[in-house]
Amino acid sequence: MHIPLKIIGFVALTGALLSGSAWAEPAYALWGSPKYPADFAHFDYVHAQAPKGGALRLVSNSRASTFDKYNPFTIKGSAPAYLSQLLFDSLLAGSMDETATGYGLLAEDVSVAADRLSATFRLRPQARFHNGEPVLAEDVKHSFDTLVGPHTSPGYKTLLIDVAGVDVLDARTVRFRFKAPNRELPLTVGSLPIFSRAWGAGKPFDQVVMEPPIGSGPYRIGPVRFGKDITYVRDPHYWAKDLPVRVGTFNFDRVEINIYKDNTAKLEALKAGEFDVMRFFSAGDWARRVNGKKFNSGELVKGEFAHQLPTGFQSYVLNTRKPHLQDVRVRQALGLALDYEWMNRQMFYGAYQRVNGIFGHTPCETTGLPTPAEQQLLAPYAHDLPPGTLGPMTVPPNTNPPGSLRANLLQARTLLQQAGWTVQGGVLRNAQGQALELEYLDSNEGGLRVVAPWQRNLEKLGIRLRYRAVDFALYQQRLQKFDFDITSIAYQGTNNPGQELADLFGSQAADQEDSGNFPGVKNPAVDALIDKIVTARTQDELLPACHALERVIAHGHYLIPQWYASTHRMAYNAWRLAMPSVLPPYSTGEDWVLQTWWYKKQ
């Protein structure tokens, strides 16, 4: 599933404010205070004395079957997996046991003006790029200007739309100016990848394709079979290796990434011992096919690691740019035909929970009736609200008794009739005689197994849902151009919603090619609520805006919620790899392995 661009900063306000400026601080927390004091030695979830050495053998976490560039920021093409997180440092580094705190990495401290209209970062004198040159304020400005330029993903432009500009105050001091007060913007700019002005030697950025990036991260590009596999080599002279945010992290001398053409080949390669770790998203594979001699011997181990991450909102996305999907009643009817409870029993081995809303398992999760504060935010947009928004929060249709698929399909038929669709000769048609035929776009033929039960239920309503599988390159291209009816998107969740919501649901992004607004949401209420979220000064201001936004999106039925797992399911080589005793609650599985595991000497 395509995962939309998601860049979230991890910094926040902690200093006392005096005379129009803030004391510079080594850490920044969005709300409250950082967990770790200024003199902390290392994060609690790392093994500070973890040995360095050996190789971590991984498979690509990208659905692309090859890579054709080394520049991860431009629109066209596919970069190798894990390149961004291994080669580029940022001004601040997040921790895996907090939801919204950043600690100095390239920057030794950060201060925010009392009016919150600027944030100033002072760079560490020892910070170095891979070419040995110092990381300077000019490089930070160059990175920002490039990322908001014409040749990069529009997600950066949307995310940074409220940054007015960047000033170089001296060689190692840089100030970001903001168009309006925004608690999150210092976090956002603090998380941007920083690269050298020398990368690409001044060429237009979209022509910087094959030149290895000049970053300052813990790894460099090593041996490569272009398009097939890539090895990242740990820099033994990595400038930040002794900083508290880096102690006990990035312990492998080499990170080897292999690409397999499909999941079957990947699973067989794991069983053959060709790589060390694989994260599983298929409950069927996990229950029935993750086995064999190496599992019996204990060399390979199945591990389920509990986490406290947001649920995200993996969903079937309905493209409202398409005429047949513009009526909210049609979209709701499609969702009523999805029998999740049957699928979870018969296909998923009871391994999943149902997604509901866009802020699940976070403080922004919405339940019950709107509060007075939410009603006040929604009232000016009464004519723009989907039906039911001011009532109870949506709950996904259920087929467990006393519910039933039959009752849901009867409700769907009523909604379709109200929208002007009637069954004629077994086919659902509108007043113009057009049949309700839709195409489900996927990049994996194996996905048909999951969609087929939905197809059968839709046929009972007279709706034909065609399944179309294309290669990933074409799939990506069609998504960029919004050339689809229905697809499946694995949206990441966040504990700290902000400007990225404008890319996912904002009206401007709906008409912007390659944006993250796949459903094509264009609603002034949504735009206003996103603005309220972005400009919230306290959690008391943030939460009602989040709840109100979640209500509008859920009642708009732009997304048919799918499912999530509350654990990371990973098979790993226990003879080669060791892990810390503490599992950080907010890490993704692969990042936990990359950053904190280490190699066992054979």
Side-chain angles (χ1 to χ4, degrees):
M1 297 170 190
H2 180 87
I3 302 178
L5 178 66
K6 181 82 174 163
I7 313 161
I8 303 173
F10 292 105
V11 236
L13 186 60
T14 60
L17 304 180
L18 292 176
S19 302
S21 63
W23 295 110
E25 294 284 349
Y28 218 53
L30 181 58
W31 312 109
S33 301
K35 172 181 177 178
Y36 295 95
D39 60 349
F40 81 104
H42 56 78
F43 293 132
D44 291 345
Y45 53 82
V46 304
H47 174 35
Q49 287 77 44
K52 307 290 186 184
L56 172 64
R57 303 173 303 169
L58 291 177
V59 289
S60 172
N61 65 344
S62 168
R63 292 184 67 177
S65 57
T66 184
F67 59 90
D68 53 16
K69 64 176 184 176
Y70 291 133
N71 187 339
F73 308 116
T74 50
I75 297 174
K76 294 182 179 179
S78 299
Y82 304 109
L83 184 145
S84 294
Q85 63 210 89
L86 295 179
L87 268 65
F88 299 101
D89 280 335
S90 51
L91 295 168
L92 301 158
S95 64
M96 294 181 179
D97 54 357
E98 295 169 277
T99 60
T101 302
Y103 298 86
L105 181 53
L106 287 170
E108 62 182 355
D109 58 44
V110 54
S111 61
V112 173
D115 58 9
R116 299 195 311 279
L117 288 174
S118 67
T120 302
F121 298 84
R122 187 171 56 168
L123 298 172
R124 297 183 188 272
Q126 68 268 40
R128 289 290 184 275
F129 287 116
H130 295 147
N131 62 0
E133 294 296 319
V135 180
L136 299 176
E138 286 285 0
D139 298 298
V140 177
K141 176 176 171 55
H142 169 78
S143 300
F144 170 84
D145 290 342
T146 301
L147 291 172
V148 298
H151 305 304
T152 59
S153 169
Y156 283 105
K157 301 172 188 62
T158 302
L159 190 71
L160 300 167
I161 192 170
D162 286 329
V163 180
V166 180
D167 302 322
V168 173
L169 303 185
D170 61 41
R172 288 192 171 88
T173 308
V174 61
R175 178 175 62 202
F176 288 82
R177 290 177 285 104
F178 309 139
K179 297 176 183 177
N182 182 330
R183 289 182 64 95
E184 191 188 25
L185 277 178
L187 298 95
T188 304
V189 298
S191 72
L192 294 177
I194 303 302
F195 42 85
S196 171
R197 289 165 288 162
W199 181 26
K203 293 165 58 175
F205 200 56
D206 62 341
Q207 296 178 27
V208 181
V209 178
M210 302 299 299
E211 296 86 342
I214 305 176
S216 61
Y219 289 85
R220 306 183 187 198
I221 293 176
V224 176
R225 288 195 305 160
F226 197 78
K228 297 181 180 296
D229 53 51
I230 185 170
T231 296
Y232 302 104
V233 178
R234 188 171 61 85
D235 183 355
H237 306 296
Y238 175 45
W239 71 273
K241 62 183 181 348
D242 297 321
L243 291 181
V245 294
R246 289 294 188 239
V247 169
T249 69
F250 298 111
N251 301 311
F252 298 99
D253 280 350
R254 300 183 311 283
V255 177
E256 302 170 1
I257 311 296
N258 295 310
I259 298 175
Y260 295 86
K261 63 180 182 179
D262 55 42
N263 286 333
T264 300
K266 193 183 300 184
L267 179 56
E268 293 307 312
L270 172 72
K271 293 180 180 181
E274 293 180 15
F275 57 91
D276 298 323
V277 181
M278 182 172 172
R279 188 174 171 199
F280 283 83
F281 299 94
S282 166
D285 282 346
W286 186 251
R288 294 167 41 197
R289 289 178 280 278
V290 183
N291 51 42
K293 292 180 179 180
K294 291 186 182 294
F295 287 95
N296 296 337
S297 70
E299 180 179 357
L300 292 176
V301 173
K302 293 172 67 173
E304 293 201 41
F305 303 97
H307 60 74
Q308 297 177 31
L309 291 169
T311 64
F313 45 108
Q314 179 172 310
S315 307
Y316 292 116
V317 177
L318 308 180
N319 186 358
T320 62
R321 301 171 185 85
K322 302 293 185 175
H324 289 349
L325 293 172
Q326 289 175 357
D327 193 308
V328 65
R329 294 167 294 189
V330 173
R331 301 196 297 270
Q332 185 178 357
L334 294 175
L336 284 161
L338 182 70
D339 189 347
Y340 162 76
E341 285 71 30
W342 182 91
M343 296 168 68
N344 198 32
R345 289 192 307 269
Q346 302 296 325
M347 305 173 69
F348 304 152
Y349 303 87
Y352 295 120
Q353 292 83 49
R354 189 80 189 266
V355 167
N356 187 33
I358 59 177
F359 295 130
H361 202 197
T362 75
C364 284
E365 185 173 4
T366 306
T367 58
L369 290 165
T371 63
E374 294 169 44
Q375 292 175 1
Q376 185 176 357
L377 290 171
L378 292 167
Y381 303 96
H383 296 296
D384 302 306
L385 300 179
T389 302
L390 296 176
M393 177 59 180
T394 58
V395 176
N398 194 299
T399 58
N400 287 333
S404 68
L405 176 62
R406 182 175 183 276
N408 290 348
L409 291 178
L410 288 173
Q411 183 183 351
R413 181 166 296 171
T414 299
L415 287 167
L416 291 166
Q417 289 173 346
Q418 291 172 356
W421 295 88
T422 56
V423 177
Q424 303 172 31
V427 177
L428 195 67
R429 299 183 184 276
N430 60 15
Q432 291 74 43
Q434 298 171 318
L436 185 50
E437 295 186 354
L438 300 166
E439 180 183 88
Y440 181 92
L441 182 68
D442 202 352
S443 66
N444 178 8
E445 291 185 1
L448 176 59
R449 173 178 170 271
V450 175
V451 176
W454 190 24
Q455 286 179 310
R456 292 193 294 270
N457 293 340
L458 289 171
E459 286 175 2
K460 297 174 183 177
L461 295 170
I463 300 171
R464 182 186 178 193
L465 178 62
R466 300 187 307 273
Y467 187 87
R468 174 79 183 278
V470 298
D471 69 81
F472 184 78
L474 179 56
Y475 173 79
Q476 201 168 32
Q477 184 180 69
R478 287 187 59 176
L479 256 61
Q480 288 173 339
K481 296 180 181 298
F482 309 121
D483 181 19
F484 69 93
D485 294 336
I486 304 174
T487 192
S488 180
I489 304 290
Y491 292 92
Q492 297 176 347
T494 176
N495 282 288
N496 308 293
Q499 186 61 40
E500 77 283 350
L501 293 169
D503 183 58
L504 297 177
F505 302 117
S507 296
Q508 184 175 345
D511 298 322
Q512 190 173 45
E513 188 174 306
D514 197 37
S515 80
N517 190 346
F518 296 106
V521 179
K522 295 182 74 172
N523 187 311
V526 169
D527 296 335
L529 292 168
I530 292 173
D531 184 64
K532 291 289 186 182
I533 291 170
V534 169
T535 58
R537 294 166 295 180
T538 66
Q539 284 185 297
D540 288 341
E541 291 182 4
L542 173 73
L543 294 179
C546 288
H547 297 326
L549 175 67
E550 190 168 41
R551 292 181 190 280
V552 176
I553 298 299
H555 283 90
H557 297 283
Y558 305 101
L559 309 170
I560 298 175
Q562 293 182 338
W563 37 86
Y564 70 95
S566 58
T567 62
H568 300 309
R569 295 188 297 244
M570 295 194 297
Y572 62 93
N573 191 316
W575 292 1
R576 287 174 50 86
L577 304 180
M579 68 184 75
S581 58
V582 177
L583 169 65
Y586 304 112
S587 70
T588 63
E590 294 93 337
D591 280 348
W592 180 43
V593 174
L594 273 171
Q595 292 196 34
T596 69
W597 291 26
W598 64 91
Y599 177 75
K600 284 183 179 178
K601 292 186 177 180
Q602 304 300 298

